Amino acid sequence: MKQGNRYGLHRVLEPVGTMPQPAWRIDNTMEIYSNEILLDVETLNIDSASFVQIKEAEGGNPERIGEHMKRIVAERGKHHNPVTGSGGMLIGTVRAVGEELAGRIDLKPGDRIATLVSLSLTPLTIDEITHMDVKTGQVDIKGQAILFESGLYAKLPGEIPDRVALAVLDVCGAPAQTEKLVQQGDTVVVLGAGGKSGTMVLCQARKSAGPNGTIIAVEYGEAGCDRLRGLGWADVVLNLDCTKPVDVLQAVEQATGGRMADVTINCVNIPNTEMASILSTRDEGTVYFFSMATSFTAAALGAEGVGKDVKMIIGNGYTKGHAEMSLNLLRESAQLREVFESKYQ
């Protein structure tokens, strides 16, 4: 076996010299190098922003969505949506471990894992799409993928259903970062609180802020807001369109008595919600953009334009221990587990 670069640089075809994630096209031949892992893929969990964009482009038709996904992979060697720039993650079974990694890592053929790196940098083939859930963006396929030496992964927990674990691990960076950012007594605004990442963030924000904190959940649509009220984690639930920043500003001003949020976390899966996040936050507060639909140009120039001195954090999907922390949050909260099992089983 030939040895490859631990970061997958040897797989980059176009443009040469870039990393696999920003590259336009990578080599997705499934003959592994000595420091790669070959996976038989079972399910793709397409990033929310990406799946929404593809679904809208194809009028919600599952067959056309599937063909769209196949075209992306055929053209780029990976599922890297050229519109949103995002990917997702997968679960699969280890078929082979490169000889250089065998015995050095805790994986062997037959192990079932979830990858914790984006599909936007993962060499992938799709031979057949066998099932698609257009509500969740989980797509069952027959295909294969390559995990680089540097690639993060988690073994699937036996006591949590696969699809539930996949959904949790797809967004595990969000609650883990929330745990780091939110302090006891904080006022926290969660935009897009009714979605997958938003629900986990809301649960963790309640836990981290404690009984003296104030949690404000923002969701669009009364049905979603009613579900959030039923969970009881938010002190205030607001039915608002986050693409209308003035409406959000006025509602958060009223809910906080003008103090605004110490921490605002954006989990919305559509564009143009940057200013709602910034305006919801007090001066010297923190905005965490977990959403892959965020324009960081819009965020930076928007904050400057309204004179807001806020700390803005890019939604890094990785922080140490994020997978186990998120799975433990699910284990600890019967309500959270019920939410995910009702949607993803």
Side-chain angles (χ1 to χ4, degrees), residues 177-195:
Q177 293 284 4
T178 301
E179 183 183 40
K180 292 169 67 174
L181 293 172
V182 176
Q183 306 297 314
Q184 287 282 327
D186 275 353
T187 296
V188 183
V189 171
V190 182
L191 304 181

Side-chain angles (χ1 to χ4, degrees), residues 189-194 216-221 238-249 252 264-280 289:
V189 171
V190 182
L191 304 181
I216 300 169
V218 181
E219 177 63 17
Y220 186 54
L238 301 172
N239 181 0
L240 294 167
D241 180 349
C242 292
T243 65
K244 297 179 178 178
V246 175
D247 292 352
V248 176
L249 166 65
V252 173
T264 297
I265 301 172
N266 186 325
C267 298
V268 184
N269 61 6
I270 59 172
N272 302 316
T273 63
E274 296 83 7
M275 288 309 299
S277 308
I278 291 163
L279 292 172
S280 295
F289 290 106

